[in-house]
Amino acid sequence: MTRNYILADNQELTRFALESLIRQDKNNTVYRASDKASLVALLKEHESAVVLLDYTLFDFADEDQLLIVAERFSLSEWILISDELTPRFLRRVVYASHQFSIVFKDGPLKDLRDALDAVSHHQRHISQRALEVIINQSQEEEERPSILTETETEIVKAIAQGKTTKEIAAERFSSIHTITTHRKNIFRKLGVNTAHEVIKYALRAGLVDSSEFYI
């Protein structure tokens, strides 16, 4: 029986590796989505497809948008494949819907094979690492506010103003690598996965003034 897969991963090397794995079964058909709009268009044509998504590199603003799309296409199954996903995100997605399997890009290849095998039988697979993150992090620890440094707060303001990593680096006379590291630390401290979530959190916490916020 033919099974449709949608690759929603904008890293070329990862996408090639995923497609090679999926095409080992000649009955499988693979489609590519470059953004949320093209992903939704493909799901309209193939409502029971398996979506392999790198959430952190795609254009979902937050997990609410992701869950809404998954709920809209209730016959679809999803394998989330990312370098890093926060405990809050993992807990929210795993508890909200049984459509999602979770693996990490830097995890063993066996995790991905197990996830693909599980969804081929309409089951989900949560990697051991993801399970440990969900179990070991208490909700109280997860929601405790984190203190940003002065530099990190300034970078949050720049993100809120719609500036790119390259622009922020130029303004601060820093390397792109340095600003990227700061961004990762900000995401980790705030327990978020996207710049949009950083801005929402920062506004709620009063870390940035709404007059400086760019939508």
Side-chain angles (χ1 to χ4, degrees):
M1 183 180 70
T2 300
R3 193 75 197 270
N4 296 314
Y5 290 78
I6 301 173
L7 299 184
D9 190 312
N10 290 321
Q11 283 186 332
E12 186 173 2
L13 184 59
T14 304
R15 193 169 59 237
F16 176 80
L18 292 173
E19 187 165 346
S20 298
L21 277 174
I22 294 168
R23 289 192 185 278
Q24 288 179 1
D25 185 337
K26 297 187 184 299
N27 290 321
N28 294 333
T29 302
V30 180
Y31 303 91
R32 293 182 177 185
S34 58
D35 55 25
K36 186 177 64 179
S38 60
L39 173 58
V40 170
L42 283 168
L43 282 169
K44 287 180 179 178
E45 296 181 25
H46 312 286
E47 293 188 351
S48 60
V50 176
V51 180
L52 288 86
L53 169 72
D54 186 335
Y55 172 77
T56 58
L57 293 181
F58 225 61
D59 62 338
F60 284 101
D62 51 34
E63 64 262 32
D64 288 331
Q65 281 193 359
L66 174 63
L67 291 169
I68 288 169
V69 172
E71 183 179 3
R72 178 180 174 186
F73 300 99
S74 59
L75 297 178
S76 64
E77 295 174 86
W78 299 64
I79 301 177
L80 301 185
I81 308 173
S82 297
D83 288 320
E84 188 173 337
L85 293 168
T86 63
R88 183 181 64 83
F89 173 87
L90 288 173
R91 187 181 292 110
R92 173 85 188 281
V93 170
V94 168
Y95 291 164
S97 173
H98 286 278
Q99 292 171 258
F100 292 97
S101 295
I102 311 285
V103 296
F104 289 91
K105 279 188 176 179
D106 59 354
L109 181 59
K110 182 179 183 300
D111 279 351
L112 180 55
R113 290 187 184 276
D114 287 347
L116 288 169
D117 182 63
V119 297
S120 72
H121 295 90
H122 302 289
Q123 299 172 347
R124 76 169 174 175
H125 173 79
I126 309 297
S127 70
Q128 184 63 33
R129 175 176 160 191
L131 284 172
E132 290 174 356
V133 170
I134 293 169
I135 293 170
N136 294 337
Q137 295 270 347
S138 71
Q139 187 71 28
E140 181 180 354
E141 291 174 340
E142 186 64 14
E143 294 181 352
R144 185 180 302 144
S146 300
I147 302 300
L148 298 181
T149 66
E150 183 177 347
T151 296
E152 289 167 347
T153 301
E154 291 174 357
I155 291 173
V156 167
K157 290 181 179 180
I159 292 172
Q161 292 165 353
K163 295 177 182 176
T164 65
T165 299
K166 185 176 180 180
E167 290 171 337
I168 297 171
E171 286 185 357
R172 299 186 60 81
F173 302 101
S174 299
S175 69
I176 292 177
H177 174 74
T178 297
I179 301 303
T180 299
T181 300
H182 281 307
R183 283 173 63 102
K184 288 181 178 179
N185 289 335
I186 291 167
F187 282 30
R188 175 180 54 79
K189 287 184 177 182
L190 299 184
V192 299
N193 295 288
T194 68
H196 187 80
E197 291 175 291
V198 167
I199 297 167
K200 289 201 302 183
Y201 189 105
L203 282 168
R204 290 196 302 267
L207 297 175
V208 295
D209 191 291
S210 59
S211 63
E212 299 175 288
F213 176 52
Y214 169 80
I215 301 180

